[in-house]
Amino acid sequence: MGRRSSRTARGGEAEAATGAGGRTHAQGPLTRPVGSGLAELRPDRDRPAAWSLLIDGAPQSLVDLADPTHLGFEYQRRLGHLIDLVAPPGRPLTVLHLGGGALTLARYAAATRPRSRQQVAEIDTALTELVRAELPLERGWQIKVRGGDARSVLERTPEGTVDLVITDVFSGARTPAHCTTVEFTALAARALAPGGWYAANIADGGALPFARSQVATLGAVFPELCLIADPAVLRGKRFGNLVLAAAHTPLPVADLTRRAASDPAHARVEHGRALTDFAAGAAPATDATAAPSPEPPPGVFH
């Protein structure tokens, strides 16, 4: 689930008109039932080869077929910062994406880090078929999409083999409970290679009880963590996305802070004592106690 930045750059008109051989704006929007609801591919008003994917009206992904490095949603750019910083520029990564959508972040990693090996867990195989047909991946990208539950795929991931695990799992507009727990986070930690990072996109609003619990949950497994979010979300002024990053080694908080502050949609990075205070009193979620992330308030996507 995502929110678009209010400021986006325009793509080049000529090449962007056809992108990488996928759906063109001249064909118009497309609506099709998939396993998770009603999927809609909607032409982007600013970029002539870009498409938004919505499920039951909730924005999920934005893909620019002419420029896979373009990340139109705020939360995707924040996850993009983590892809940029987890290793020296250009070095290939092994990435596990839990939740696929339109494969925006997998495309980004493939374009910015050639020869990266990526696996995507997407339970909605009909959605994957739609995305592959209408928004095709470039040949040569090493991206494997597996139809299955995110946690089941994570359980089968060999120990110590992944540089970055990204959890972006939504059923409609809510993260399922079984992908929010200490046990789930421990599986992600087990999959990470030395120096690897774990990242999660979540959504919350108001007093942020779910986000506070998720900070406590990750903190029960990882010694290093930070949170990236819009200041208005952190103040409880609106419902929105928050990105969590965690590792067993120090995170580049200063670099993340600079990137978040210079983004068109300014974000704040919380870490250390401030993040400890943010989560004070919150209990980690376990398989026995977890609940899905909260339902977005009516009209939040309009």
Side-chain angles (χ1 to χ4, degrees):
M1 186 196 75
R3 174 187 172 94
R4 279 200 55 180
S5 172
S6 59
R7 194 166 16 144
T8 57
R10 292 184 178 271
E13 295 291 337
E15 181 183 0
T18 56
R23 191 172 185 84
T24 67
H25 282 200
Q27 294 173 279
L30 174 67
T31 302
R32 183 176 298 171
V34 295
S36 52
L38 187 65
E40 179 185 0
L41 291 177
R42 184 180 296 174
D44 185 85
R45 63 182 181 274
D46 295 318
R47 302 177 71 89
W51 296 84
S52 293
L53 168 67
L54 298 88
I55 304 291
D56 289 337
Q60 300 289 328
S61 305
L62 188 144
V63 168
D64 189 334
L65 292 173
D67 181 8
T69 67
H70 173 70
L71 299 176
F73 287 174
E74 299 167 9
Y75 87 87
Q76 289 179 332
R77 289 199 298 279
R78 291 160 195 164
L79 289 169
H81 298 329
L82 297 174
I83 293 171
D84 292 342
L85 293 171
V86 69
R91 198 193 86 183
L93 297 176
T94 300
V95 186
L96 175 60
H97 302 264
L98 302 176
L103 310 175
T104 305
L105 288 168
R107 298 169 197 265
Y108 179 83
T112 59
R113 294 181 176 275
R115 302 183 307 284
S116 290
R117 299 175 63 186
Q118 302 185 79
Q119 183 175 178
V120 181
E122 175 53 64
I123 196 168
D124 191 339
T125 55
L127 175 60
T128 298
E129 291 171 3
L130 172 65
V131 168
R132 283 189 177 278
E134 302 294 339
L135 308 176
L137 300 171
E138 291 189 15
R139 292 181 179 179
W141 284 351
Q142 298 181 58
I143 300 172
K144 294 182 178 180
V145 185
R146 300 194 181 280
D149 175 75
R151 181 156 173 173
S152 296
V153 172
L154 185 57
E155 288 170 344
R156 297 195 300 271
T157 301
E159 181 175 357
T161 58
V162 179
D163 297 310
L164 180 62
V165 175
I166 298 175
T167 297
D168 188 17
V169 182
F170 284 85
S171 177
R174 305 179 74 182
T175 302
H178 72 294
C179 295
T180 68
T181 67
V182 170
E183 293 87 346
F184 177 89
T185 306
L187 289 170
R190 174 183 173 277
L192 291 177
W197 296 355
Y198 174 67
N201 173 45
I202 62 173
D204 201 2
L208 303 174
F210 179 74
R212 296 176 197 277
S213 175
Q214 286 301 286
V215 171
T217 299
L218 269 62
V221 177
F222 290 101
E224 303 287 338
L225 62 159
C226 68
L227 180 152
I228 313 168
D230 186 309
V233 174
L234 289 173
R235 291 195 300 268
K237 299 296 185 183
R238 70 171 179 86
F239 189 94
N241 296 85
L242 306 96
V243 168
L244 290 164
H248 287 293
T249 54
L251 294 162
V253 172
D255 287 337
L256 282 171
T257 300
R258 282 192 290 270
R259 287 171 180 248
S262 63
D263 190 88
H266 171 73
R268 207 165 78 209
V269 178
E270 298 286 7
H271 63 99
R273 179 58 183 272
L275 192 56
T276 300
D277 291 345
F278 173 82
T286 68
D287 284 348
T289 64
S293 64
E295 191 79 47
V300 72
F301 302 124
H302 303 289

